Amino acid sequence: MDKVIDFINVNRERYLDELKALLAIPSISALPQHAADVKRCAEWCADEMRRIGLQNVRLVSTPGNPVVYGEWMGAPGAPTILFYGHYDVQPVDPLDLWESPPFEATIRDGEIFARGAADDKGQVFMHFKAVEAHLKQNGRLPVNIKFILEGEEEVGSENLDGFVRAHKQELAADVVVISDSGMFDRGIPSICYGLRGLVYFQIDLRGSSTDLHSGSFGGAVANPAFVLAQMIAQMKDRGGRVKIPGFYADVVPLQETEREEWKKLPFNEKKYKKDFGIPKLFGESDYTTLERTWARPTLEVNGLLSGFTGEGAKTVLPAVAMAKISMRLVPNQDPNAIAELFEAYVKKLAPKTVTLKTTRMHGGKPWMTSFDNPFVQAAGRAIEKGFGKRPVFTREGGSIPVVSTFQEELGLPSVLFGVGLPDENAHAPNEKLDVSNFHNGIIASAYLYDEMAHIAR
Ligand code: BES
Ligand code: MN
Ligand code: MN
């Protein structure tokens, strides 16, 4: 391994230049005008995978964006890793809040700033470089590895389940490795053993066929903005509990042992509030902040739109109001079942004064694994070597829909080893990735393959 690690240390600067080229491609999956960029990014990844020595590299088309596939299968008898990551990124708006252009990666204060730096291009790139180091120095990898990179993660992975189901044989492996999550905090590497699921809805209310003069009609016609606010107000109580009947029926209660473990984590509530400019925290009574985000479901309004929002005043009764509402789910809540409960509740809440339309959008199942699995233990040793510190075990509030699919369709456990930091602005302006974490992440990934090589299959 020394040769491999030396190679990584020597090539440190080159990695950053190469990563900048990847970060320059605006592969925003949510925006149709970037479709060509998404495709170009898939091709860039495929070219890079060929350069580092992966074999059978190709784009596999789906009804949406292509999956990039590549493999190295020259270690008969050794375990096979299925590596998953995504090459698509989130939109960049509001653009004026970026301190440097989102697709011109810039290094400041030990961080590389660009859309996709942490989520997920930088983290995928760590594994490219770890593979390259092994292949350049040893001509081989200690394990077999299959890479799949998707281009629709940020829009809900709509076509990935189909892809996995259609390629079960080709995707056969012993473990899934993903670097698309975070470290607990700076200097505290982590392995994530749980993700929340997601159900997402758009609600449209209409109160009249056109906007109306609020003087002539106000008081006689229901205002959809007002009705929507009243409906939303009934979705959660003041204690932060979701009021949809049956919402909590399948929630697995937090284990006392888990709560004890999390209490030992160095979570600083004061700093959390300060870092994110939060005057006072809010959440479900009787749970800590970590418990609320990692192990409890929630319902949030992601966006609201109605009426006049320009400068000045306009006396108008809006014809329509719209809300985007999503729920984060925990084991064993089922997205389909929750979606039905939500729709029924919204129907009940909507008065006859408006017409209601609910549209279900993407989602995903929650996921959790046990960490006494030997692959997780191997990852722990590798991370300790890369970061000089033992990882802590965390859950995350975010979602990666395919993880539960890997479990259900391929019967595979996943190891989530992420190096993003909580303040790295994923999905927000000024996304960034810590350069040392990136570098240590490459070393840890190189060790990861080595540690996993010795696990009996
Ligand atoms: N990398 C994130 C998931 C994530 C977020 C993991 C925070 C750990 C901590 C992923 O790219 C993401 O943003 N997922 C979406 C999924 C959705 C679009 C279905 C999410 O969580 O909102
Ligand atoms: Mn991601
Ligand atoms: Mn994301």
Side-chain angles (χ1 to χ4, degrees):
M1 278 303 290
D2 288 356
K3 286 200 295 185
V4 173
I5 304 308
D6 287 346
F7 183 88
I8 294 171
N9 283 322
V10 167
N11 284 282
R12 218 183 150 120
E13 291 304 311
R14 172 173 67 89
Y15 295 159
L16 290 172
D17 289 337
E18 292 174 356
L19 175 59
K20 282 181 185 172
L22 173 56
L23 293 172
I25 307 171
S27 49
I28 305 170
S29 50
L31 304 177
Q33 65 266 37
H34 283 284
D37 296 316
V38 172
K39 184 86 198 298
R40 184 154 61 88
C41 192
E43 271 154 11
W44 192 98
C45 290
D47 287 341
E48 171 68 12
M49 282 157 72
R50 290 187 193 101
R51 274 195 293 274
I52 62 177
L54 292 174
Q55 295 164 353
N56 289 324
V57 176
R58 59 181 184 270
L59 302 193
V60 184
S61 52
T62 73
N65 300 328
V67 171
V68 190
Y69 180 84
E71 63 181 28
W72 193 87
M73 296 297 293
T80 299
I81 294 174
L82 179 63
F83 177 86
Y84 164 84
H86 62 95
Y87 63 86
D88 65 324
V89 298
Q90 286 276 333
V92 296
D93 54 284
L95 187 59
D96 55 316
L97 293 184
W98 286 79
E99 282 166 31
S100 52
F103 297 107
E104 287 172 34
T106 310
I107 296 175
R108 292 193 296 276
D109 308 325
E111 307 254 10
I112 183 161
F113 286 79
R115 172 58 85 231
D119 186 11
D120 179 31
K121 288 173 174 176
Q123 301 205 55
V124 167
F125 203 70
M126 291 180 335
H127 288 268
F128 285 171
K129 296 299 103 175
V131 165
E132 181 189 60
H134 275 282
L135 290 178
K136 278 265 155 41
Q137 294 297 75
N138 294 331
R140 61 185 305 279
L141 286 170
V143 284
N144 303 295
I145 193 161
K146 298 172 178 176
F147 275 79
I148 52 172
L149 306 184
E150 83 156 310
E152 299 183 289
E153 198 278 342
E154 299 292 11
V155 287
S157 302
E158 307 256 25
N159 295 299
L160 199 64
D161 282 4
F163 170 86
V164 172
R165 260 183 236 119
H167 297 90
K168 275 191 178 184
Q169 237 84 62
E170 292 104 304
L171 298 178
D174 297 289
V175 63
V176 176
V177 171
I178 301 176
S179 288
D180 188 26
S181 50
M183 309 204 333
F184 182 74
D185 204 348
R186 208 167 277 278
I188 309 180
S190 322
I191 291 177
C192 168
Y193 67 94
L195 293 164
R196 289 199 287 189
L198 183 71
V199 181
Y200 203 119
F201 274 95
Q202 175 169 329
I203 296 179
D204 289 278
L205 298 186
R206 181 173 282 280
S208 51
S209 54
T210 174
D211 281 1
L212 300 170
H213 191 292
S214 71
S216 313
F217 295 88
V221 177
N223 180 330
F226 207 101
V227 171
L228 186 58
Q230 289 175 317
M231 288 170 65
I232 290 171
Q234 294 179 73
M235 292 184 187
K236 246 185 194 179
D237 69 15
R238 283 170 173 273
R241 217 178 140 82
V242 177
K243 286 170 71 176
I244 301 169
F247 185 77
Y248 292 93
D250 297 324
V251 170
V252 176
L254 247 166
Q255 299 298 303
E256 218 33 65
T257 49
E258 221 174 1
R259 297 185 98 162
E260 289 309 315
E261 282 306 311
W262 296 356
K263 289 217 173 76
K264 294 182 205 152
L265 293 171
F267 181 75
N268 183 336
E269 204 157 281
K270 262 207 182 113
K271 183 169 178 300
Y272 181 84
K273 283 193 287 188
K274 188 167 161 281
D275 281 356
F276 300 104
I278 302 159
K280 186 174 189 290
L281 291 171
F282 171 77
E284 201 182 352
S285 316
D286 305 325
Y287 293 95
T288 67
T289 296
L290 289 182
E291 291 168 354
R292 287 168 177 168
T293 54
W294 290 358
R296 298 294 297 173
T298 184
L299 177 150
E300 301 300 335
V301 179
N302 300 108
L304 276 176
L305 194 66
S306 183
F308 178 69
T309 56
E311 248 179 84
K314 180 187 180 203
T315 46
V316 65
L317 202 61
V320 294
M322 184 274 277
K324 309 262 188 188
I325 294 179
S326 66
M327 288 150 276
R328 294 283 171 175
L329 311 180
V330 299
N332 289 328
Q333 286 176 300
D334 171 58
N336 292 327
I338 294 293
E340 276 175 27
L341 295 178
F342 177 81
E343 274 194 290
Y345 187 57
V346 168
K347 275 205 187 103
K348 208 188 93 198
L349 292 180
K352 292 209 166 61
T353 52
V354 293
T355 52
L356 163 75
K357 187 176 150 210
T358 56
T359 311
R360 183 168 168 199
M361 304 168 94
H362 58 59
K365 290 185 184 171
W367 168 83
M368 193 154 106
T369 187
S370 81
F371 42 87
D372 48 21
N373 162 331
F375 287 103
V376 174
Q377 297 302 322
R381 295 191 295 276
I383 293 168
E384 187 170 356
K385 288 181 180 169
F387 287 81
K389 245 189 212 163
R390 278 207 169 173
V392 297
F393 287 92
T394 61
R395 283 163 71 172
E396 288 272 14
S399 312
I400 307 176
V402 76
V403 180
S404 75
T405 310
F406 288 140
Q407 183 66 54
E408 286 172 12
E409 295 291 331
L410 305 177
L412 295 182
S414 290
V415 176
L416 271 65
F417 147 55
V419 304
L421 288 172
D423 69 351
E424 283 183 335
N425 301 325
H427 296 201
N430 303 307
E431 179 177 349
K432 58 188 173 168
L433 179 65
D434 183 282
V435 173
S436 314
N437 288 339
F438 171 64
H439 185 73
N440 292 340
I442 299 172
I443 296 176
S445 305
Y447 277 120
L448 184 76
Y449 312 148
D450 195 51
E451 290 288 343
M452 286 189 173
H454 311 300
I455 295 172
R457 313 176 46 216

